Amino acid sequence: MKNTKRNTIFVLLIAIIVIYFIVKDDFQSIVNNLMLANKWLIILSVIFIFLYWLFRAISLYLIAREYKKKIKFRVILQQTLITQFFNGITPFATGGEPMQVYMLTKSGIKVANATNIIVQEFIMYQIALVVIGFVALFLNFRYNICTLSPILGNLILIGFIINISIGLVLLFVSFSKRFSRAIVNLALKLCIKLRIVKNVEKAKKSWNEKVEEYNESGTMLKENKVLFCECVLLNIFSLALFYLIPYFVFLSLGYHNIGLMQVFVSSAFILIVGNFVPMPGGTGGIEFAFSKFFELMIPSVALKSALLIWRVITYYLGIIVGGISLGFFKGDDKSWE
């Protein structure tokens, strides 16, 4: 709980600093833009982020139902919302998965099975992220939508390498016991040399148990190809909704000359870049990427206004809604049934 409060305060301070640097040179103009923005289009953008969370929850629900048939969808939906809070206040969104495992166990699912569920969902999300990223690359190559500077090009390349590597490692760990054990042995040797591990046998046993859990995830994916495809498609659809939010934000500010495809491709690149920024919510990197990808399409003041609206909807709203949802979680089975 102390870490949660500390992280939340840290995110709040970072948000204040980032917002200050965004508005400091054009404060009054940005305020005027925000006051004149079309509220209905902003509400539509908010609906899109809720739909993004909804489809992520549906994907997770379909997987969880394989382990507990009677689990209720509202349980998974609440969990998905709470996850937004923990993802938002931790670097690389590392706080969400452990909390998801914890909440699944509170809904009556064994820890090993809860871990499998989250691993499977994460694999499918990574696949969807990479697939839609390659679609964006193809569209950009085919139609020359975004002019990529060397810096942006390198950031996108690094982002793809990191995301593909994560996906491949998870797939190999899930499907190949030999690869899994090789990774465990390599990591264990490194930890021994660095004197991180004291009880070697205990650590080896614990890590091998984790390998078995990941291999079970791979078995489930192989045996449920239809479920696998459904969940990947749900994640692709949810990401597509997420990527279109800036389009309606720009429209709300009166800019109608920007196309859906431009926004879709740019948003895909922004998320690819932002995923490897070691700050909660990718703060700093996300704002930089958003500004750079859209600066040739939107005037400076309007771009800053759009960035504020978009960031509140896609990031800070998740922390707020997730925090409120967390307040209704009592930590026992009765609160979920």
Side-chain angles (χ1 to χ4, degrees):
M1 188 60 70
K2 287 183 179 179
N3 287 339
T4 300
K5 290 180 179 178
R6 185 179 63 207
N7 289 346
T8 304
I9 293 170
F10 176 70
V11 168
L12 181 61
L13 290 174
I14 293 296
I16 292 171
I17 293 170
V18 169
I19 291 171
Y20 168 76
F21 279 105
I22 291 173
V23 305
K24 67 183 182 72
D25 295 326
D26 304 287
F27 178 76
Q28 192 58 53
S29 298
I30 290 172
V31 170
N32 291 338
N33 274 345
L34 297 177
M35 294 296 292
L36 295 172
N38 186 316
K39 305 303 184 292
W40 292 108
L41 287 171
I42 292 177
I43 291 172
L44 182 60
S45 301
V46 172
I47 291 172
F48 266 53
I49 197 64
F50 274 96
L51 288 174
Y52 166 76
W53 296 331
L54 177 65
F55 284 104
R56 291 294 305 275
I58 293 172
S59 175
L60 187 61
Y61 172 69
L62 292 177
I63 302 170
R65 202 172 56 178
E66 294 293 311
Y67 293 87
K68 186 180 179 182
K69 295 293 183 184
K70 293 183 179 180
I71 194 166
K72 296 177 181 179
F73 176 68
R74 64 181 176 84
V75 170
I76 299 300
L77 179 59
Q78 184 182 22
Q79 174 186 328
T80 302
L81 295 177
I82 292 172
T83 302
Q84 305 310 309
F85 173 78
F86 286 94
N87 281 342
I89 65 170
T90 52
F92 298 113
T94 51
E97 285 79 10
M99 188 61 185
Q100 282 180 307
V101 171
Y102 169 74
M103 290 187 291
L104 282 172
T105 61
K106 286 299 180 180
S107 65
I109 296 175
K110 294 179 181 179
V111 175
N113 290 339
T115 303
N116 285 333
I117 291 168
I118 300 308
V119 170
Q120 290 174 49
E121 167 60 15
F122 186 71
I123 288 172
M124 294 172 188
Y125 175 78
Q126 283 297 125
I127 291 172
L129 184 68
V130 172
V131 166
I132 210 166
F134 275 118
V135 170
L137 275 178
F138 170 78
L139 291 173
N140 192 56
F141 178 77
R142 178 69 177 80
Y143 298 105
N144 195 27
I145 296 168
C146 299
T147 303
L148 301 178
S149 65
I151 293 176
L152 289 179
N154 289 333
L155 288 175
I156 291 171
L157 178 61
I158 294 170
F160 266 107
I161 291 172
I162 291 174
N163 282 286
I164 291 172
S165 298
I166 291 171
L168 287 175
V169 168
L170 284 173
L171 285 171
F172 278 122
V173 168
S174 298
F175 288 111
S176 173
K177 285 189 178 182
R178 182 180 296 179
F179 179 82
S180 303
R181 297 193 185 283
I183 292 292
V184 166
N185 290 332
L186 181 64
L188 195 57
K189 288 178 181 178
L190 181 62
C191 289
I192 292 170
K193 285 185 177 180
L194 296 174
R195 296 182 180 179
I196 297 173
V197 173
K198 294 181 180 179
N199 192 327
V200 177
E201 289 304 318
K202 184 179 178 181
K204 190 172 184 179
K205 182 182 177 182
S206 176
W207 290 12
N208 282 329
E209 287 174 357
K210 295 295 181 185
V211 166
E212 291 296 328
E213 291 175 7
Y214 279 104
N215 289 148
E216 285 180 24
S217 299
T219 302
M220 283 292 296
L221 291 176
K222 284 189 287 187
E223 292 177 352
N224 294 272
K225 294 182 177 63
V226 174
L227 176 64
F228 174 79
C229 293
E230 286 176 348
C231 292
V232 170
L233 288 173
L234 281 167
N235 277 285
I236 288 174
F237 189 64
S238 68
L239 283 170
L241 290 171
F242 186 92
Y243 292 162
L244 292 178
I245 291 173
Y247 177 73
F248 297 103
V249 172
F250 290 134
L251 288 182
S252 74
L253 294 170
Y255 291 89
H256 303 271
N257 61 334
I258 188 167
L260 274 171
M261 193 180 295
Q262 287 176 301
V263 172
F264 178 86
V265 170
S266 298
S267 296
F269 290 158
I270 290 167
L271 196 60
I272 288 289
V273 170
N275 268 358
F276 67 87
V277 177
M279 289 287 286
T283 302
I286 287 284
E287 287 83 1
F288 171 80
F290 188 94
S291 300
K292 289 299 179 182
F293 277 107
F294 289 116
E295 66 181 357
L296 298 179
M297 309 175 199
I298 304 294
S300 176
V301 174
L303 181 59
K304 292 177 181 178
S305 306
L307 172 57
L308 286 175
I309 297 171
W310 176 75
R311 202 66 170 124
V312 167
I313 293 172
T314 59
Y315 177 49
Y316 297 109
L317 183 61
I319 294 176
I320 295 168
V321 172
I324 293 171
S325 299
L326 180 62
F328 289 96
F329 175 61
K330 298 177 182 178
D332 54 36
D333 292 339
K334 290 181 180 179
S335 67
W336 294 87
E337 298 294 344

